[in-house]
Each structure stands twice: as C-alpha cells, then as structure tokens.
Amino acid sequence: MMTSYLQPIALLEMSLTCAVVLIVLLEKLSSKEIPFAVRIILALLLINLFFWPLGMSLELPLSAYVRGVTGDLSIVTMLLLWSSILPAAKKTPLGFKVPLALIAIAFYPLALGFGMMDPYAWGYGSIGLLIAVVLFAIVCGLAGWTKGVWIISFAIIAWAAHWHESANLWDYLLDPFLATWALFAIPSAIYQKRREKAQSGYLFRAG
C-alpha cells in the first residue's frame, strides 16, 4: 500500500527542494535577506509550480525532470537544505563537514569497485553501520549541534519506515551532492575563518 505513495512523496520532496534552492539563490543574488513570511509564500508558489504538470509539451511535473537528472536526494541533504530557510538558521559546523568529507572520499571509490571492500553493502541492515551512525549523532549532540541529531534521527527513521524506494541506509544519509558540498565547504570555511582573523588583527592592531 505504501509503495503507491512513493512517487508522489518523492516528487513533493523534490519540489520543495527545488523551491528552497531557488530561494537561497535569490537571496545570494540580491545580497539581502528575504523575510521569513515572504520565504514561505515563495516556497508554496514554487512547490506548486514544480509539483503539478504544466501541460503543453511537458507531460510530467518539473520536479520529475529534475529528479530524473539528480536522482533521489538523501534525507540528510534535504533536511539541511529545507532548514536553511528557517529563521535564525545557523551554519552547519565544520565538525560535521570534515567527517562527512572524509567518509565520502573513502566511500565512493570503494563503492564503485576500487578495492576489495564494498561499504555500500553495509547499508542493507548492517548493525555495525547503524551503531556507527547513532554514535555519530550522539557526538553531534555532545558537541552542541542538536540540529544534526534531529537530522540523522529522521534519516534513520525514514530508512526504517522504507520512506524511499531504496532499502539501503547509505541512500538516506549520503549522496554525491552532499559529499561535493562538504568537500568544497571545508576550504571555504577555513578561508573565511582566516579572513575574519586577519580583519580582527587589523582592527585591533596597535597604532
């Protein structure tokens, strides 16, 4: 019974994701923060635009074409994106990006066959992988990033409930877009910290 709802759920998720990405890009281009109420209105309008078929030469919704190119995104990616338009949304800490990037560097070559080990197979009910993910969520909580605990928890719950078509836990936790974001975000964050430190040193330098 649940399988009949998988396609609409996936299209709705992709519609919301596309809406959030466009809102974030609009803020970046305008260099001004869009009020939260306006974000919600824009999100609702864009979700409807991407979710419903527009007719004419498009037989499927726009989100279906986007999904055909990107595939299904992980729950972690979607929740990180969606939460970025919430008021007072904080940046994802470097302590999450670095382990994520290291995992991606090790995971994707091995999953693609460059080695004797296939970590992707662990996603099919491996207790060891599940324990490792839970421990990582606990570390996020101890580090004070409660948002990360909720995101990882929702990803595990979605996997246990077979929310998506995939039965592999990795598909709920990681995808190429998330890995790429983490890899590029690390040098950007380091550069930003050094720049802030340099500016601070300049401002407080003795005259």
Side-chain angles (χ1 to χ4, degrees), residues 157-179:
I157 292 170
W159 167 72
H162 300 289
W163 187 254
H164 286 170
E165 295 177 355
S166 175
N168 193 299
L169 179 57
W170 282 112
D171 293 326
Y172 292 80
L173 298 171
L174 186 65
D175 59 64
F177 295 98
L178 185 63

Side-chain angles (χ1 to χ4, degrees), residues 198-207:
Q199 288 178 345
S200 176
Y202 174 78
L203 290 174
F204 294 100
R205 189 178 300 164

Side-chain angles (χ1 to χ4, degrees), residues 15 22 43-54 61-63:
S15 298
L22 289 177
L44 291 174
L45 292 173
L46 290 170
I47 288 170
N48 279 278
L49 176 66
F50 278 93
F51 184 74
W52 300 107
L54 299 178
L62 288 173
S63 57

Side-chain angles (χ1 to χ4, degrees), residues 2 7 9 17-18 54 68 81 83 106 113 133 153 163 197 200 204:
M2 184 63 184
Q7 282 292 103
I9 287 173
T17 300
C18 291
L54 299 178
L81 267 174
S83 62
V133 174
S153 299
W163 187 254
K197 187 177 180 180
S200 176
F204 294 100

Side-chain angles (χ1 to χ4, degrees), residues 9-206:
I9 287 173
L11 291 179
L12 184 59
E13 289 175 346
M14 185 58 69
S15 298
L16 178 54
T17 300
C18 291
V20 171
V21 168
L22 289 177
I23 292 171
V24 171
L25 288 176
L26 184 61
E27 282 192 329
K28 295 288 186 183
L29 292 173
S30 63
S31 300
K32 294 181 181 179
E33 185 176 351
I34 301 174
F36 180 63
V38 178
R39 293 183 199 175
I40 295 297
I41 294 172
L42 280 174
L44 291 174
L45 292 173
L46 290 170
I47 288 170
N48 279 278
L49 176 66
F50 278 93
F51 184 74
W52 300 107
L54 299 178
M56 297 178 291
S57 60
L58 298 177
E59 298 180 0
L60 299 173
L62 288 173
S63 57
Y65 294 100
V66 177
R67 185 184 176 218
V69 175
T70 64
D72 287 325
L73 301 178
S74 67
I75 297 293
V76 174
T77 298
M78 290 190 296
L79 291 180
L80 282 173
L81 267 174
W82 299 349
S83 62
S84 66
I85 66 169
L86 296 176
K90 296 181 180 179
K91 291 184 178 180
T92 306
L94 196 61
F96 175 76
K97 297 173 183 176
V98 172
L100 182 63
L102 293 175
I103 290 170
I105 290 171
F107 172 77
Y108 280 106
L110 291 173
L112 291 172
F114 293 95
M116 299 297 293
M117 184 172 56
D118 182 13
Y120 186 76
W122 302 345
Y124 293 106
S126 171
I127 299 299
L129 176 61
L130 181 59
I131 291 174
V133 174
V134 171
L135 289 176
F136 185 68
I138 292 173
V139 171
C140 289
L142 293 174
W145 193 46
T146 54
K147 176 181 171 181
V149 179
W150 284 106
I151 288 176
I152 295 172
S153 299
F154 277 121
I156 294 174
I157 292 170
W159 167 72
H162 300 289
W163 187 254
H164 286 170
E165 295 177 355
S166 175
N168 193 299
L169 179 57
W170 282 112
D171 293 326
Y172 292 80
L173 298 171
L174 186 65
D175 59 64
F177 295 98
L178 185 63
T180 304
W181 166 77
L183 289 169
F184 281 95
I186 292 171
S188 177
I190 294 173
Y191 171 76
Q192 187 66 28
K193 283 190 175 183
R194 288 185 175 179
R195 185 179 179 184
E196 290 174 357
K197 187 177 180 180
Q199 288 178 345
S200 176
Y202 174 78
L203 290 174
F204 294 100
R205 189 178 300 164

